[in-house]
Amino acid sequence: MSVPVPRQRTGSAVTVGPIAAAPVTAGPIAADPVPESAGGGDLTLLVIEDDPAGTFTVPELLGAAGTRVRIRTARNLTEAERLLTDDIHCILVDLALPGSARDRAEGDELAVLRHVLRIAPKHAVLALTADADSERAAEAVRVGAQDFLHRDELDGRVLSRAIRYAVERKRADSAQVKLAESRLRAQENARLERGLLPTPLLEGSDLRFAARYRPGRSRALLGGDFYDTVRTPDGTVHAMIGDVCGHGPDEAALGVELRIAWRALTFAGMCGDELLSTLQQVLEHERESDEIFATLCTVDIAPDGRRAGLCLAGHPSPLIVRKGRPARLLPYENGGPALGLLPRARWPRRQVELGAAWSLMMYTDGLIEGRTGPGGDRLGQDGMVDMVNRQLAAGLGGEALLEAAVAEVRELNGGDLTDDVAVLLLDRDRSHG
């Protein structure tokens, strides 16, 4: 049975101390262990109740571990918003509290509760109702309250237990929401990954393809790195790798758009400067701000596989390994600027000789911008070439070479890289022709 509790006022804060009371069984919940607060200490309850006498009669609120429930009282929603601070664990709102004139005119009996849920989305909420108002109490839980209490059945143990369970239920609800959001992000990431990292279209070609992608930050969304490889009807193999500045879904989405545009333009017969100029127009129309740019490297390999055209738009030059020779960079002089920097830029296309048997490695700058030790020096392109030559000497090639390269760069950096890494490898193993 409820008993009045003498209160010591300090502003609107009230501490409810221990008062001897007979044990009360609160239905099936009484047999369950009582969850403690996050820190195992006292809890703070905000009571919103229209009480003309300025008092709130409650039973003893002493938990099983001797913890107390401190109470703050508010007579209306305006006062409640002022008292709603981060140290509040739970809110007890009287459903009989008068709402606005508009709410009364519309007949919304839960308008006060809805208002509390809007202003306190992260707090546990209990609905206080009259004993005969079970239907509205159940509706309050459906709307968003963690539980309800009948005023005539209030008891120290019942109320203390209800507060602690409400806090834990809210925590569980929040965890469930975060889990659902995490799953949704994972699904979105998978869709972005399919767009950024497509299956190459190399049917009819004797070239072998391998690729690896690693986000620079743990649990990060895919960034703006993207690549593609296709074979056109004339037998030419076209490969591309690019990097939109920045990280996150906007950059990833722009990378997907540029990759799809590149594939479409390539099948339409464009290459070199004409293709890059068109891609720049796509970027300028789709980017969020004028500060966004993208680097790009394109290679179109002749049908006989012995030569290629190379275009660089602010992007590092590919690495080539010819049979019996060490790895080296393809010529990178006279490249053009990154897409999106200069409105009337041009991108020269340079012819390079590949030979009969070769491996061509294309990569984004995340592979060369990692640190190499405590001194803070960057790996750089020269360091990458030396690293790849060591791995080649160890007999690595194809996918194993890419795995080893990405793993060593991360190890040299001392952990996750600050930038994403995309790398692809095209191999031609022909001793003649």
Side-chain angles (χ1 to χ4, degrees), residues 51-187:
D51 187 349
T55 60
F56 178 62
T57 301
V58 293
E60 171 192 350
L61 296 184
L62 187 63
T67 58
R68 296 177 300 176
V69 176
R70 289 189 287 266
I71 293 180
R72 294 179 186 171
T73 59
R75 300 183 190 180
N76 53 55
L77 294 174
T78 301
E79 188 176 353
E81 290 191 49
R82 180 174 60 83
L83 295 176
L84 187 60
T85 54
D86 291 340
D87 60 332
I88 297 291
H89 296 90
C90 185
I91 300 171
L92 178 64
V93 56
D94 187 357
L95 297 185
L97 190 71
S100 66
R102 179 180 178 181
D103 294 332
R104 291 194 296 271
E106 294 178 352
D108 187 355
E109 297 181 339
L110 296 178
V112 172
L113 174 62
R114 297 181 201 276
H115 185 93
V116 170
L117 293 173
R118 283 196 301 271
I119 66 175
K122 297 182 180 179
H123 292 76
V125 176
L126 290 169
L128 182 63
T129 72
D131 188 33
D133 206 1
S134 297
E135 185 175 340
R136 184 160 61 153
E139 180 69 8
V141 173
R142 189 192 67 79
V143 167
Q146 271 62 57
D147 205 347
F148 64 86
L149 293 170
H150 291 307
R151 181 186 298 276
D152 298 338
E153 295 178 352
L154 277 181
D155 173 270
R157 292 184 181 276
V158 171
L159 183 54
S160 178
R161 185 184 298 274
I163 293 168
R164 297 178 187 280
Y165 269 93
V167 170
E168 292 303 318
R169 285 169 186 151
K170 183 63 177 180
R171 185 181 302 165
D173 291 344
S174 298
Q176 189 67 28
V177 170
K178 290 180 180 178
L179 178 60
E181 291 175 348
S182 176
R183 289 173 175 169
L184 181 60
R185 284 195 299 269
Q187 293 171 359

Side-chain angles (χ1 to χ4, degrees), residues 195-402:
L196 288 167
L197 317 178
T199 301
L201 300 179
L202 290 174
E203 185 177 356
S205 172
D206 61 355
L207 301 183
R208 294 192 303 269
F209 172 90
R212 285 294 179 273
Y213 178 90
R214 181 187 292 272
R217 297 160 295 156
S218 177
R219 300 177 64 185
L221 285 168
L222 287 172
D225 290 9
F226 55 98
Y227 60 78
D228 203 353
T229 305
V230 299
R231 182 175 183 266
T232 48
D234 65 355
T236 302
V237 172
H238 304 262
M240 169 273 290
I241 193 165
D243 184 3
V244 177
C245 67
H247 305 273
D250 291 336
E251 290 76 10
L254 182 55
V256 171
E257 290 180 273
L258 292 175
R259 185 199 66 76
I260 294 173
W262 175 87
R263 178 176 280 202
L265 294 171
T266 298
F267 279 123
M270 288 190 185
C271 67
D273 181 77
E274 182 184 19
L275 185 148
L276 292 175
S277 296
T278 307
L279 283 180
Q280 174 158 280
Q281 294 179 40
V282 173
L283 183 146
E284 290 172 346
H285 283 92
E286 298 297 330
R287 64 186 175 184
E288 291 290 324
S289 73
D290 291 343
E291 298 178 355
I292 301 296
F293 63 89
T295 66
L296 202 70
C297 170
T298 67
V299 174
D300 50 282
I301 302 168
D304 63 7
R306 302 182 66 91
R307 61 190 183 280
L310 170 67
C311 282
L312 298 175
H315 200 89
S317 184
L319 179 148
I320 187 166
V321 182
R322 296 184 177 92
K323 191 171 184 178
R325 302 181 190 177
R328 69 177 184 85
L329 297 174
L330 286 177
Y332 50 84
E333 301 87 359
N334 301 322
L339 303 181
L341 292 183
L342 300 176
R344 289 178 292 277
R346 288 293 177 263
W347 294 272
R349 180 174 176 273
R350 180 165 186 164
Q351 284 284 344
V352 294
E353 294 296 324
L354 301 177
W358 45 265
S359 296
L360 186 68
M361 190 174 85
M362 305 169 69
Y363 51 92
T364 56
D365 56 10
L367 191 68
I368 58 177
E369 291 188 348
R371 307 291 181 177
T372 59
D377 293 336
R378 302 282 187 182
L379 177 64
Q381 288 179 287
D382 291 338
M384 178 197 65
V385 172
D386 292 340
M387 176 188 71
V388 170
N389 278 323
R390 290 195 306 272
Q391 293 164 348
L392 290 169
L396 298 179
E399 293 187 359
L401 175 63
L402 298 189

